[in-house]
Every structure is written in structure tokens, then in C-alpha cells.
Amino acid sequence: MFNVITIEREYGAGGSVIADQLARHFGWELLDQELTSRIAVEANVSHSVVKSCDECVDRGLRRLAKVFWRGSYERMLPMQDERVFNADCMVDLATKIIGEAGEEGRCVIVGRGAPYILRNRKDTFHVFLYAPRDFKIQRLSHRMGEKEATELVDTIDRERAEFIKRYFNKDWPCRSLYHMMINTSFGLDLAVESILSAMKTHEMATVAVR
């Protein structure tokens, strides 16, 4: 039986909304912004470190770190501490926390490399969400300008791919990793229904084989 769902998503495809609906359906914990908070607490971050190390950080690592920390509303998430520029340390912390969440179960985890970290768990259902570029821009334009939406759609996923390649040595998305890949332009509610149906079908098939 599945006890964990990981949601990997293209920016603007509605991944956070879908993850929230799935968590509510099962009564599970949603680890999206909460996951970011847990990593920040574990790292004991502070604003003073931001100022002390800002100028001696490799720009590439700084950008990768920001990609990792971004949650459902990437552009609005404040950086808690620029010590996260040490992306290697950050990934180590995330691997620990996500691994613990996988052990505890009953959670939906959004991004942060979770599908790669939990790839060997049989009780975890992995989903990748994507959508056409125009759909994502139009959807995002409701809460930001079209120009900004276009810029973010064209850059954030490229940064995510770079992050996954650097720390997990995989192309993004790694198609063989997921149970499902869904085009959300057909409707977010339909995507949720499809995921629930697929999970139920997979579990029934597994029981039948036994």
C-alpha cells in the first residue's frame, strides 16, 4: 500500500495545488513549504550569516541553492539564511529529512529531489506534472504580470534540471522514475482523480498478484 506520494512538477503546472488536494484527500501531511521550514530549522540559519558569507559564495551554487529552497510560490519565498549557498550541505539535510518523512509515511512531498531520494521505497508513488508553455504562462499571469510569468517559466525549470543533474546525476525529468506523468492542462481536478485512480489500480493489481 502506498504511504507516500512525491510530486515533481514543471513551474506553473499546478503541482502545489494538486499536492494539497491529495494531502487533504488522504488526511496526510503536505511537505511543501513545511519541508523548507524543517530544513531551515535543522540548519539553524540566521540573517547574520547571510551578510557574512554573501560575497564569498560561488554564484552557481547560490543559484542552485535558491532553486532547491523554492516551494509552491518560488518567487515569494524569503531566503532564511545565505548559508544555504552551501548547496552540498543543504542537499545532505534534505536527504535526511525526506528520508525520515518517507519512513514515517502518510505524507505528500513536493519537489526537492524527493523522487530521487525515495526512489527505492516500494510504498512511494511518484508523479511528474507538466503542461504546455502557454498554459503555464496564462495560469501564472493571474497572480503576476505576463512578462514575469514568461521569464519564470523559461528559467526555473532549466535551473531545476541543472540542480537534479548536479546532485543526482539524472536528466530532469527522469521518466523511468515515475509511476505517472500527467499533462495538467486538461484540468487540475482531473489530474488529482487520475492519480487517485492509478494508485488504487496499482494497489489492487499488487494484491491480486500476491
Side-chain angles (χ1 to χ4, degrees):
M1 179 176 293
F2 292 114
N3 291 311
V4 180
I5 302 173
T6 68
I7 299 292
E8 189 60 276
R9 70 286 185 232
E10 291 184 348
Y11 183 74
S16 294
V17 174
I18 290 171
D20 180 66
Q21 290 186 27
L22 290 170
R24 291 176 183 275
H25 174 85
F26 288 109
W28 291 357
E29 183 177 15
L30 175 63
L31 294 178
D32 189 353
Q33 299 293 351
E34 173 60 25
L35 180 57
T36 298
S37 299
R38 287 191 187 185
I39 296 173
V41 170
E42 188 82 12
N44 191 28
V45 294
S46 68
H47 286 289
S48 61
V49 178
V50 174
K51 298 179 181 179
S52 66
C53 70
D54 190 18
E55 295 184 1
C56 61
V57 175
D58 175 80
R59 290 181 178 273
L61 287 180
R62 175 176 179 173
R63 181 166 51 82
L64 286 171
K66 287 186 175 181
V67 171
F68 189 90
W69 278 84
R70 286 167 173 155
S72 54
Y73 299 100
E74 289 89 342
R75 59 189 283 271
M76 300 171 64
L77 182 65
M79 297 297 293
Q80 298 295 323
D81 193 314
E82 296 301 309
R83 190 173 62 179
V84 299
F85 291 168
N86 185 339
D88 295 339
C89 175
M90 180 186 57
V91 172
D92 287 343
L93 286 174
T95 299
K96 173 180 177 292
I97 293 171
I98 290 173
E100 292 172 348
E103 289 291 335
E104 295 172 4
R106 297 179 59 79
C107 60
V108 180
I109 307 175
V110 181
R112 283 82 170 189
Y116 304 87
I117 295 168
L118 302 179
R119 63 188 179 280
N120 294 322
R121 294 194 63 90
K122 302 299 184 182
D123 63 348
T124 302
F125 193 82
H126 303 292
V127 180
F128 186 88
L129 305 173
Y130 66 95
R133 179 174 178 272
D134 290 345
F135 171 84
K136 293 183 290 185
I137 292 173
Q138 181 179 10
R139 181 175 175 276
L140 291 169
S141 294
H142 291 301
R143 57 184 174 87
M144 65 181 76
E146 183 176 348
K147 180 179 179 181
E148 184 178 6
T150 300
E151 180 182 355
L152 292 174
V153 166
D154 289 343
T155 59
I156 287 179
D157 287 344
R158 184 170 66 247
E159 293 173 348
R160 286 175 175 169
E162 183 180 348
F163 176 85
I164 294 300
K165 189 66 175 179
R166 180 183 181 94
Y167 287 101
F168 300 100
N169 196 30
K170 297 290 185 181
D171 292 330
W172 187 87
C174 179
R175 289 168 175 76
S176 62
L177 188 64
Y178 305 102
H179 293 88
M180 296 186 74
M181 300 185 75
I182 303 176
N183 183 341
T184 61
S185 67
F186 292 102
L188 303 190
D189 290 340
L190 179 59
V192 172
E193 293 173 8
S194 298
I195 292 168
L196 294 174
S197 177
M199 291 176 66
K200 182 177 180 180
T201 299
H202 192 285
E203 290 177 342
M204 291 176 62
T206 301
V207 171
V209 169
R210 293 177 182 174

